[in-house]
Amino acid sequence: MATLKELAARAEEKGELLSGGHRACLGCGHPIVIRQALLAAKEPVIVGCVTGCLEVTTTIFPYTAWRVPFIHSAFENSAATVSGIEAAYRALKKQGKYDKELRFMAMGGDGGTYDIGFQSLSGAAERGHRMLYLCLDNEAYMNTGIQRSSATPKGAHTTTAPAGKVIPGKQQHRKDLTACMVAHRIPYVAQTIAGNWKDLTTKVEKALAADGPSFINVLSPCPTGWGYKPELTLEMGQLAVDTCFWPIYEVEDGKWKLNHQPTEKKPKKPLVEWLKSQRRFAHLFKATDSEELIAELQERVDQDWEELLAKCE
Amino acid sequence: MGKKFVAKTGNETMAEAMRQINPDVVAAYPITPATEIVQIFAQFVADGVVNTEFVATESEHSAMSACIGAAAAGARVMTSTSSQGLALMWEMLYIAAGLRLPIVMPEVNRTLSSPINIHCDHSDTMGARDVGWIQIFSENVQEAYDNLIQAVVIAEEAKLPIMVTTDGFIISHGMESMEMIPDKEVTDFIGEYKPAYSVLDVDNPFTVGAIDFTDYYFEHKRAQIEAMSEAKKIIPQVQQRFGERFGRKYAAIEEYRLSDAEVAILVLGSTAGTAKVVIDELREKGHPVGMLKLRVFRPFPFEEIVRALSSVKVLAVLDRSDGVAGIGGPVFSEVRSAMYELDIRPRIVNYVYGLGGRNIDLALIQSVFTDLEKIAKTGKAEKMVSYLGVRE
């Protein structure tokens, strides 16, 4: 896997593949993830992206931040769209009309992946198109103004599951999409964060090397939607790992492996640290009757963690 | 050597045409009554008689999305659908057109739910009349085949997607005698596809599907609208080349015993065949009746329609769908609007017929002509919109 030195040399050679000048919010996790992911690819990459923050902030006509071929068609279908490109690539190669070696990346936010694009993602994975699907999970529909998705954690405030006088934010636990993708028995599935370049680039390299579909779920912190200071994005990603709210792991050919574990020196942090770090959970600490809910959230994280440990044994 | 005729259904014919076209990518999903087209084609793929990568998607929405991706990658791309499938593609139909991708689709006309019904009417394709696709309707199996071969060239020259429709079951499952063009001649006629751009061109990366704000959207749409107008020139050129090569002549409209007709009907699709029989019978009895068959519905050939109908006294537009707008069918609205160009216009009435596959027979069409002659005589039409063959 590429060292920092190798990645730096690659950056020098290729230049920025996602250029500056895009309109992503200050502190947005997405451009960090994309720049690192594109750098991790040795072969030329074609990118397909759903409608959402990433697409609208990087492709404002007549400008584009993308220095790789990029396609956006709609909200729920980057997996299907890229599967068409990949099929065309195979067809043209087979006929001797194209000879380059390419890699394909489809991407989308949690809304475009967990929710509206779930079917097209599942279909593309089942059909076995060789492509990496990168989910940029910021845990709500941020582009349209922070609405709840099935990736939004229980208890978070969003504009369509707001914290009110009688309802304390979202009432349901989030979907475990990464596990859903493992269930597709594709060659490579992983979770990572914006904020750990080594883990992210290693996983992208492995995913692109897999001879078939691969999926990486990246927790991409959102200062605007979560309510924290923009300079803390990378720390937020790490805190999600340290509290086991977002464990980083990979499943290679069905084999589960944890990529980060709490140690005696650095034990698992209580979830309260995570909850307190963001305004979207602030109501939990203002209300007097939230203790039970906070305990339930901790319990859920503990249970998920134990189950994950068991799978990784 | 004499012409070689074969017996084929509409769906078999469309699949055979696809085999001859040999697209790089076909992405599709099954739906009655279009299923057989991709089913037969999938067998061609399995038997290795085409070079196509066949993508059997999990929905029509994904089928059209995959077609868009493949077409943006510079591939020659086809799909096929019907009814609810076309409805599920709706969002992507606009995007295929907006991105100017020459995707070719045999579409089998079937009504839309609810109530669910698998039979023919034009609700599906008429609903999609404003999505930016070229739309060509077919009277019979032969015409459907010829339209589809031409469609590849039209789409690629116009840089617009195109659907060639056949009436569900009536054409799709009806077996007719038809003449196939030899494979090699189809290959020569359609030529090699040279895309304007491809996202696979990694040395010249560019962005497809960028976001336009108020400063650019209108210009891009204006260019697309212009492309549809340009298609009005491209379509007859392709039809002429086809006619010169293969002997079957086509145009945007077909006039049937219309030049001296006093009363006339305007129809699309398979009903034209039935109407021709009625017209012949009435003509033999001395009735001055005729028909205009609309083959190309998008781009809308209003100049041709106005010219062809200028001397008709009474016209009935037969719609196989209703706009549920309180003013009859969509073809009626558009034809009536086109005829406003004339200072002296025919009287125009609308008959909505055949919804959900309700049969349209000789007697029903004859009853329309009887009505029209009465209107011509009295100068009065009892109703602007009538529903033909329904229990009221």
Side-chain angles (χ1 to χ4, degrees), chain A residues 217-257:
Chain A
N217 204 351
V218 191
L219 188 74
S220 181
C222 172
T224 313
W226 294 6
Y228 66 85
K229 286 183 179 163
E231 64 270 25
L232 297 177
T233 292
L234 303 187
E235 284 84 347
M236 293 305 300
Q238 193 54 49
L239 186 57
V241 177
D242 292 341
T243 53
C244 296
F245 174 80
W246 189 264
I248 54 176
Y249 64 91
E250 61 192 336
V251 186
E252 255 181 301
D253 295 319
K255 202 171 162 11
W256 296 66
K257 189 185 162 196

Side-chain angles (χ1 to χ4, degrees), chain B residues 42 47 76 91 103 133 160 169 191 213 218 229-230 236 247 269 292 308 319 331 334 340 359 369 379:
Chain B
D47 292 338
R76 187 174 258 163
E91 180 193 28
I103 297 161
W133 284 54
L160 284 174
F169 293 105
F213 290 128
F218 204 170
S229 295
E230 278 297 305
L292 188 151
D319 264 289
V331 186
E334 297 204 9
Y340 195 78
N359 195 31
F369 281 117

Side-chain angles (χ1 to χ4, degrees), chain A:
Chain A
M1 296 301 133
T3 61
L4 191 57
K5 210 171 171 184
E6 283 164 344
L7 290 173
R10 217 176 276 168
E12 187 76 20
E13 183 204 336
K14 292 182 177 181
E16 281 289 356
L17 297 175
L18 184 77
S19 78
H22 58 71
R23 320 289 172 83
C25 299
L26 196 64
C28 176
H30 289 7
I32 302 167
V33 174
I34 300 305
R35 288 170 63 215
Q36 292 176 359
L38 291 175
L39 217 48
K42 285 182 223 118
E43 296 83 2
V45 171
I46 314 285
V47 171
C49 182
V50 311
T51 313
C53 289
L54 180 63
E55 173 263 333
V56 302
T57 58
T58 55
T59 70
I60 300 172
F61 192 87
Y63 307 107
T64 180
W66 296 88
R67 291 195 175 127
V68 297
F70 175 95
I71 185 167
H72 154 258
S73 68
F75 192 5
E76 64 281 58
N77 64 350
S78 77
T81 306
V82 176
S83 72
I85 300 175
E86 190 265 352
Y89 166 72
R90 276 187 286 122
L92 297 174
K93 260 199 150 173
K94 189 167 71 181
Q95 297 171 63
K97 292 178 181 170
Y98 192 83
D99 59 4
K100 287 197 170 69
E101 189 62 21
L102 302 182
R103 294 292 178 263
F104 301 92
M105 279 189 202
M107 47 187 77
D110 49 289
T113 309
Y114 279 69
D115 288 351
I116 200 168
F118 186 46
Q119 174 183 318
S120 94
L121 170 62
S122 176
E126 183 272 334
R127 290 192 301 272
H129 298 278
R130 184 171 176 168
M131 65 161 93
L132 163 60
Y133 192 101
L134 207 57
C135 176
L136 299 149
D137 177 11
N138 54 21
E139 304 200 311
Y141 292 82
M142 299 311 185
N143 184 44
T144 42
I146 322 168
Q147 289 81 35
R148 62 93 82 189
S149 77
S150 60
T152 306
K154 184 169 184 175
H157 166 88
T158 58
T159 54
T160 50
K165 285 175 187 155
V166 293
I167 303 173
K170 195 189 171 203
Q171 293 291 284
Q172 301 81 17
H173 288 289
R174 61 190 169 172
K175 181 194 285 179
D176 187 353
L177 180 65
T178 312
C180 294
M181 294 317 294
V182 174
H184 284 71
R185 305 272 183 111
I186 54 178
Y188 189 81
V189 177
Q191 272 198 180
T192 186
I193 50 162
N196 185 337
W197 67 267
K198 181 77 181 166
D199 192 64
L200 177 78
T201 56
T202 302
K203 284 173 176 170
V204 170
E205 262 191 74
K206 283 185 177 183
L208 292 177
D211 189 13
S214 51
F215 175 82
I216 303 179
N217 204 351
V218 191
L219 188 74
S220 181
C222 172
T224 313
W226 294 6
Y228 66 85
K229 286 183 179 163
E231 64 270 25
L232 297 177
T233 292
L234 303 187
E235 284 84 347
M236 293 305 300
Q238 193 54 49
L239 186 57
V241 177
D242 292 341
T243 53
C244 296
F245 174 80
W246 189 264
I248 54 176
Y249 64 91
E250 61 192 336
V251 186
E252 255 181 301
D253 295 319
K255 202 171 162 11
W256 296 66
K257 189 185 162 196
L258 263 180
N259 305 113
H260 179 82
Q261 284 224 55
T263 57
E264 264 185 44
K265 270 191 181 173
K266 279 184 78 182
K268 182 176 161 187
K269 290 182 178 171
L271 187 70
V272 171
E273 280 192 37
W274 169 252
L275 299 174
K276 279 192 170 164
S277 67
Q278 300 155 57
R279 202 171 52 237
R280 62 178 171 156
F281 298 114
H283 56 283
L284 300 180
F285 302 97
K286 283 177 197 152
T288 50
D289 55 353
S290 296
E291 272 176 30
E292 209 175 304
L293 177 57
I294 293 169
E296 186 202 324
L297 297 176
Q298 180 68 62
E299 205 176 301
R300 178 71 176 227
V301 165
D302 293 344
Q303 191 190 339
D304 288 351
W305 176 246
E306 290 305 319
E307 283 176 18
L308 181 62
L309 282 179
K311 285 174 190 160
C312 294
E313 264 173 12

Side-chain angles (χ1 to χ4, degrees), chain B residues 27-43:
Chain B
Y29 186 84
I31 183 163
T32 304
T35 308
E36 282 177 325
I37 297 176
V38 282
Q39 195 173 296
I40 297 165
F41 188 79
Q43 191 66 48

Side-chain angles (χ1 to χ4, degrees), chain B residues 163-209:
Chain B
M163 57 181 92
V164 171
T165 83
T166 54
D167 285 348
F169 293 105
I170 302 162
I171 299 176
S172 69
H173 289 62
M175 188 166 284
E176 293 178 24
S177 167
M178 59 88 59
E179 186 196 4
M180 276 188 63
I181 301 165
D183 294 357
K184 170 81 171 62
E185 289 185 42
V186 173
T187 308
D188 289 349
F189 183 75
I190 63 172
E192 188 161 344
Y193 176 41
K194 293 190 181 68
Y197 65 80
S198 162
V199 290
L200 300 184
D201 185 4
V202 287
D203 297 327
N204 301 290
F206 65 98
T207 291
V208 183

